[in-house]
Amino acid sequence: MRIRNILLACALVIAVGAGVSAQRGGRGGAPSAPGQPTPPGPQRVEDLKKEAAADVESMKVMTQQMIDQVFSFAELGFQEFETSKYLTAVLEKNGFKIERGYAGIPTAWVATWGSGKPVIALGSDIDDIPQASQKPGVGYKDPIIEGAPGHGEGHNSGVPLNITAALAVKKIMEREKLPGTIKLWPGVAEELVGAKMYFIRAGMFRDVDVNLFAHVGSNLGVSWGGGFGTGLVSVEYMFKGESAHAAAQPWRGKSALDAVELMDVGWNFRREHLRLQQRSHSVIVNGGDQPNVVPPNASVWYYFRETDYPHIKEMREIGDTMAKAAAMMTDTTVTSRILGAAWPQHMNKTVAETMYANILSVGLPKWDEADVTLAKGIQRELKQPQIGLATQLGQLRGGLDPEQNMGGPSDDIGDVSWNVPTVTLGYPANIPNLPGHNWANAIAMATPIAHKGVTAGAKVQAMTLIDMLMRPELVTAAWDYFRSVQTKDQKYIPFITDKDQPALWLNQKIVAQYTNEMKKYYFDPTKYKTYLEQLGIKYPTVR
Ligand SMILES: [Zn+2]
């Protein structure tokens, strides 16, 4: 395998301050007025929200255990078997009905509780990052297992957040006999943008009124609108040639690897004449077996990113043309398959404004000296400004001008956002100024920083869930924005066809290589209070 470029899949965007209209125009829609926090609801609703937040606080040991447990499983996209087994067991024990193997994806599931309308979905990602193994609480590179995957994005924390929020609200719904359904779902293989479009195709969101997503960040925040980040299509091009003795009779060979390299060279020249907003990157997943055999097979995997649907589609068409041209140059043949895709995100204004009011009421966690020492330790290590942890909430941002969007990462929550009113809650479980998709982003993720950040986020999520369950006018307003603003000129067109299937084989080889060794480090909450304790790590350890 020859790796030419680092694959940046995910999207840790949520930038507090985000905003795109996936409309090629967004042009049609000028940026609208900035949002305002939704005013408080009736006293009864506000009282129940306070109660839910207090209940979340009382569950913090359970929340911590879930975060540490999933951190220790550290599973890559489509291979989240232990993670999903564990999380669904927690939900099942708490009365949720589980549908496993959702959309033909073995690690996907849907957990539902309650009955009738409204149906509020809570989602968050669960997969991790290759080669990001790292001891939590240690402020420099120190892997648990060298080369193994690790939660270098913090996806171990979001479903624990949603479970905590859901359990707090469920108790209230039972006692108050509130109608409504809570539906939890996992972002499987988010780093490969591999699953959410299949969830949509299988109908996961057909009956959902509002979808509350959660993604780890370094502050508590939410935004609405589009105008930030990109969407993408992930395509593998597979070339087929003919092998031959590379020295004795090279003229009889047709090198599939030559085709891959020519495609890459072509793309890198073309790059100069693409819009500035695009991001494109590739890895060679198969570059042949050994030098004395002309490679009969070779393949290259591309991410084509742009800020709106038509441009993403255009990028893929250019890629297809270039692959065909490379095949012609080398007398090989080429086929392609889609491995993942993500629409540019567009978040709902009403739901964001409602969530933001709850963010203002919850506020940031109180960090202690040990938390700040760890944060400054890794910031120092990476030669970043030593700002410690977030101490001030950001603004509610939205309605950004798509013309000003200069690109960035992607997240397949974008697809969901074009099917049902959606927002992403960013919660402060990580340290600011880290590189992303890196071992450093795993440091905080099984420490008090993550535990406190998730508890704060779970309070906001629970309160917003109660707002959506008890204030039907908010759900109506959310759909009004969705129908008459967001999707007025741009409808969702999936990148996948009916024939495409989830790329379930991805990451299987890496898992086979590391799982036995990793099992020795699974968190055992019957013996240890925390994962830090189990690993014998003094918190914080910094240089
Ligand atoms: Zn992510």
Side-chain angles (χ1 to χ4, degrees), residues 10-14 125 127 129 153-155 190-191 213 215-216 410-411 437:
C10 173
L12 59 200
V13 176
I14 327 221
D125 302 323
D127 58 325
I129 302 282
E153 162 85 2
H155 286 177
E190 190 282 332
E191 299 299 345
F213 196 67
H215 194 287
V216 56
S410 329
D411 189 319
H437 292 178

Side-chain angles (χ1 to χ4, degrees), residues 274-394:
L274 297 173
R275 297 201 324 151
L276 301 181
Q277 289 90 333
Q278 70 87 26
R279 302 277 192 285
S280 46
H281 17 255
S282 61
V283 294
I284 296 174
V285 283
N286 173 15
D289 300 308
Q290 57 186 61
N292 64 344
V293 179
V294 173
N297 303 293
S299 61
V300 59
W301 180 11
Y302 267 84
Y303 274 21
F304 300 116
R305 304 192 202 233
E306 251 284 6
T307 56
D308 58 31
Y309 172 79
H311 283 109
I312 298 166
K313 199 166 153 275
E314 206 171 282
M315 292 264 286
R316 186 194 174 161
E317 285 158 6
I318 299 170
D320 288 354
T321 303
M322 217 157 265
K324 267 184 230 148
M328 284 172 74
M329 283 188 271
T330 50
D331 203 11
T332 58
T333 57
V334 65
T335 53
S336 69
R337 58 184 174 186
I338 184 167
L339 302 184
W343 261 62
Q345 303 169 58
H346 190 115
M347 295 306 176
N348 191 271
K349 184 166 186 255
T350 308
V351 186
E353 289 175 340
T354 305
M355 183 175 271
Y356 191 68
N358 295 325
I359 286 172
L360 293 177
S361 128
V362 169
L364 283 162
K366 287 191 179 56
W367 311 114
D368 61 27
E369 211 183 305
D371 304 329
V372 176
T373 302
L374 179 67
K376 289 188 174 173
I378 182 62
Q379 286 160 351
R380 188 164 58 241
E381 185 80 14
L382 298 175
K383 300 184 173 55
Q384 296 295 311
Q386 291 173 51
I387 58 168
L389 294 161
T391 52
Q392 223 181 347
L393 291 172

Side-chain angles (χ1 to χ4, degrees), residues 2 32 133 179 182 224 249 259 289 316 324 374 450 495 502 529:
R2 289 190 299 176
S32 11
S133 175
I182 306 177
W224 61 272
Q249 302 182 74
D289 300 308
R316 186 194 174 161
K324 267 184 230 148
L374 179 67
F495 285 108
K529 280 196 191 128

